[in-house]
């Protein structure tokens, strides 16, 4: 019963990122979720507990290898074509805007 109520509540409130943009702390959001949560049987209501507090920061875990492997999926012919035309391939991570450049020699193994 409690879980069903909690699930309904989560669906009903605004998305987490909107609440946070509006200046709501995670603790306030948790309070909001637990607000009027009492069920017929109060023993079903589980109290939440803050176990740890950490600062939230944005970090992208992209790396050159990931883009390299992505490029390989284009296939030999396409890769060769781009390298012949452009001389190099530049990719950009759409999350953090980091750029990764690849040259012909990076594909020597594959394009021989
Ligand atoms: Zn990135």
């Amino acid at each position: 019963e409690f879980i069903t109520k909690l699930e309904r509540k989560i669906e009903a409130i605004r998305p987490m990122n909107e609440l946070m943009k509006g200046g709501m702390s995670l603790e306030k959001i948790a309070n909001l979720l637990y607000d009027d949560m009492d069920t017929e049987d109060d023993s079903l209501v589980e109290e939440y507990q803050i176990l740890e507090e950490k600062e939230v920061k944005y970090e992208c875990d992209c790396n050159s290898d990931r883009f390299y492997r992505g490029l390989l999926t284009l296939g030999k012919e396409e890769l060769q074509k781009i390298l012949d035309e452009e001389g190099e391939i530049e990719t950009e991570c759409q999350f953090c805007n980091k750029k990764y450049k690849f040259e012909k020699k990076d594909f020597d193994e594959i394009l021989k």
Side-chain angles (χ1 to χ4, degrees):
E1 191 189 341
F2 176 74
I3 290 170
T4 311
K5 274 196 153 183
L6 195 57
E7 280 174 346
R8 280 205 199 114
K9 198 74 182 274
I10 290 169
E11 278 168 25
I13 63 167
R14 307 196 67 74
M16 185 86 96
N17 58 350
E18 273 183 40
L19 293 173
M20 290 183 81
K21 264 186 212 158
M24 254 191 147
S25 66
L26 285 172
E27 202 177 339
K28 276 193 182 147
I29 296 171
N31 276 326
L32 180 73
L33 281 175
Y34 274 76
D35 196 30
D36 66 341
M37 253 317 168
D38 31 328
T39 58
E40 314 240 305
D41 179 2
D42 270 351
S43 64
L44 288 172
V45 181
E46 303 208 16
E47 285 302 313
Y48 73 88
Q49 198 185 347
I50 296 169
L51 299 173
E52 193 184 3
E53 291 187 40
K54 274 185 182 170
E55 204 176 321
V56 180
K57 59 179 175 180
Y58 177 79
E59 262 181 337
C60 189
D61 64 347
C62 69
N63 56 50
S64 146
D65 194 47
R66 188 177 291 176
F67 282 90
Y68 183 76
R69 278 181 282 125
L71 286 171
L72 295 184
T73 65
L74 291 173
K76 282 185 192 179
E77 268 179 45
E78 190 63 23
L79 274 174
Q80 190 70 68
K81 209 180 124 202
I82 301 171
L83 287 166
D84 286 345
E85 282 168 14
E86 313 281 334
E88 60 179 26
I89 301 176
E90 192 179 81
T91 58
E92 187 177 336
C93 175
Q94 56 175 319
F95 300 107
C96 69
N97 300 326
K98 201 166 169 182
K99 289 184 169 89
Y100 297 96
K101 244 184 212 180
F102 301 94
E103 296 167 17
K104 248 179 190 150
K105 64 173 167 52
D106 295 316
F107 300 96
D108 275 355
E109 285 289 301
I110 292 115
L111 298 176
K112 334 184 236 218

